[in-house]
Amino acid sequence: LFAALAGLLGARLHRVPFAMLTFALNGALFVVAQNATDITYGELGVVIPRPEFLRGESLVWVAVFVAAIAYFAIARLRSSRLGFTLVAIRDNEPLAESVGIRPWPYRLLVLVLAGTLGGIAGVLFGMNLTVVTPHSFAISYTAAGLLIVVVGGRSGPAGALLGAIFFIGLPEFLRTTDPALQIMVFAVVLIITVRFLPD
C-alpha cells in the first residue's frame, strides 16, 4: 500500500529525480518513526516478536528460501510478455510509447511489486533485529540498496543478487579495518563500476 502511494508520486519521475524522491521518503519515514512516539515509541523502538521456530539458524534458512522464491519469480516475470514490456520501457521509453505502451501504469506496478518484496524483506530484517528503532530507517540502507543496483547492473535478478552478495561480503571482509578505509573502498568500487562497467 505504501509503495502504491509512493508510486503515485514517483512513477512519472525518471532517474535522478526518482532517486531523490526515494531519499526524501526515506528521510520522512525517519522523522515519523522518531516523532510518532505513540506508535513507534521513538528511540526505544518496537519489539518484533520472533516465533520459536525462527530462532537461531532457522531465520537464515527462511530468508534464503524467501530470496530464492523472489529470485525465480522475478526471473520468470522477466521472460514473460510483461517482462519484455518492462524491459522495452526501461531501454527506450519513447520507442515503447510510439508502439502504444503507456509507461506510467507499468512503472507503478513495478514499484508495488518492489515494495511488496521490500516489505517481506523488512519483516525478516525486523525479526533478525528483534527491535526496530528509527535508525532502522537510516539513509545508509537506502544508499546500500541503490549501490547494489548500480554495481549489479541491469542484467536482471542475477546482477542484483551479485550486487547484494558483494555489498554484504565486502563489509564483512573489511570489518576489522578503519571505517574511513571502508568508505574509500566502497567509493572506489562505485566509481570504477560507473566509469568502466556502466551496464
Side-chain angles (χ1 to χ4, degrees):
L1 181 62
F2 183 78
L5 293 173
L8 292 174
L9 294 172
R12 296 182 192 276
L13 299 176
H14 300 271
R15 301 179 189 275
V16 174
F18 179 76
M20 297 308 293
L21 176 67
T22 303
F23 283 110
L25 289 173
N26 182 230
L29 276 177
F30 181 81
V31 170
V32 168
Q34 221 169 13
N35 294 314
T37 52
D38 293 341
I39 301 168
T40 65
Y41 300 104
E43 293 294 333
L44 296 175
V46 176
V47 176
I48 306 294
R50 188 191 301 180
E52 193 65 39
F53 69 92
L54 288 180
R55 298 192 187 279
E57 291 182 5
S58 301
L59 185 61
V60 174
W61 290 113
V62 168
V64 168
F65 179 71
V66 169
I69 290 174
Y71 179 89
F72 288 112
I74 292 168
R76 179 88 176 151
L77 173 69
R78 192 174 163 81
S79 62
S80 69
R81 182 180 175 131
L82 174 61
F84 290 130
T85 303
L86 296 174
V87 170
I89 292 169
R90 181 199 69 192
D91 289 347
N92 195 333
E93 189 172 319
L95 181 60
E97 285 183 293
S98 72
V99 296
I101 297 171
R102 291 180 58 226
W104 185 80
Y106 289 101
R107 270 210 209 94
L108 183 60
L109 174 66
V110 168
L111 285 170
V112 170
L113 290 174
T116 302
L117 290 175
I120 293 168
V123 169
L124 295 171
F125 181 61
M127 285 185 182
N128 181 50
L129 294 177
T130 65
V131 176
V132 177
T133 67
H135 297 287
S136 304
F137 294 99
I139 203 160
S140 59
Y141 291 115
T142 303
L146 192 60
L147 293 175
I148 285 169
V149 173
V150 169
V151 170
R154 305 186 316 166
S155 62
L161 181 63
L162 289 173
I165 290 170
F166 177 80
F167 270 97
I168 291 168
L170 190 61
E172 286 298 315
F173 182 71
L174 297 171
R175 186 171 26 175
T176 57
T177 62
D178 182 31
L181 177 64
Q182 293 178 26
I183 292 171
M184 287 174 57
V185 169
F186 274 105
V188 168
V189 168
L190 186 61
I191 290 168
I192 289 171
T193 303
V194 172
R195 177 67 182 86
F196 297 107
L197 303 168
D199 292 329

